[in-house]
Amino acid sequence: MLSRSKASKNAFMPTDSLIGKGTEVEGALACEANVRIEGKFNGVIESRACVTIGEHAVARSDISAREVVIAGKVYGDVQAEGKLTITPTGQMFGDVLAASSLVIAEGGILNGSSKMEPKKEQAEALPAVDMHLLETEAG
């Protein structure tokens, strides 16, 4: 039996979500927890945690999450606060709107454009560049 403190602590912890193989879902998915898609999903996916598109999954979705892992197929744009990983079996057909880190394993496919912005603390640490000096050096 759980003690009162453990029970109340676990009552507010997010539960991971799974859309299993053989399942097709259409709509908008918004959650606080990790999401794993193993079936087919059409719509928008938003998570404050990690979104994983499984090896045999197909997502026709724009995805926004803290972290995204693509092992199946994604047709849509992706925005990740942290890392976006495309595994050797992963295929992404869309744009990377934001990611602090992009990893594409050998065999992985990204058919689209990508935009990566340094984090605020990294951008502030970069030295200022004098454009006049660059023009002078270029000729």
Side-chain angles (χ1 to χ4, degrees), residues 90-111:
Q91 299 178 25
M92 181 179 158
F93 303 92
D95 296 333
V96 179
L97 302 178
S100 64
S101 173
L102 174 61
V103 176
I104 304 174
E106 186 173 350
I109 295 172
L110 170 59
N111 191 355

Side-chain angles (χ1 to χ4, degrees), residues 19 25 34 40 52-53 57 59-60 63 70 74 88-89 98 113 118 131:
I19 296 175
V25 176
N34 296 327
K40 294 181 180 178
T52 301
I53 307 301
R60 297 184 184 282
I63 301 171
I70 299 173
V74 172
T89 59
S113 65
M131 293 305 289

Side-chain angles (χ1 to χ4, degrees), residues 37-42 45 51-63 68-76 78 86-94 109:
I37 309 290
E38 291 293 342
K40 294 181 180 178
F41 190 92
N42 295 322
I45 301 172
V51 172
T52 301
I53 307 301
E55 193 171 325
H56 302 289
V58 176
R60 297 184 184 282
S61 308
D62 288 337
I63 301 171
V68 179
V69 178
I70 299 173
K73 293 182 182 177
V74 172
Y75 298 90
V78 172
I86 301 175
T87 71
T89 59
Q91 299 178 25
M92 181 179 158
F93 303 92
I109 295 172

Side-chain angles (χ1 to χ4, degrees), residues 105-121:
E106 186 173 350
I109 295 172
L110 170 59
N111 191 355
S113 65
S114 66
K115 180 178 180 179
M116 294 175 61
E117 300 276 340
K119 292 182 181 178
K120 279 188 177 184
E121 56 272 4

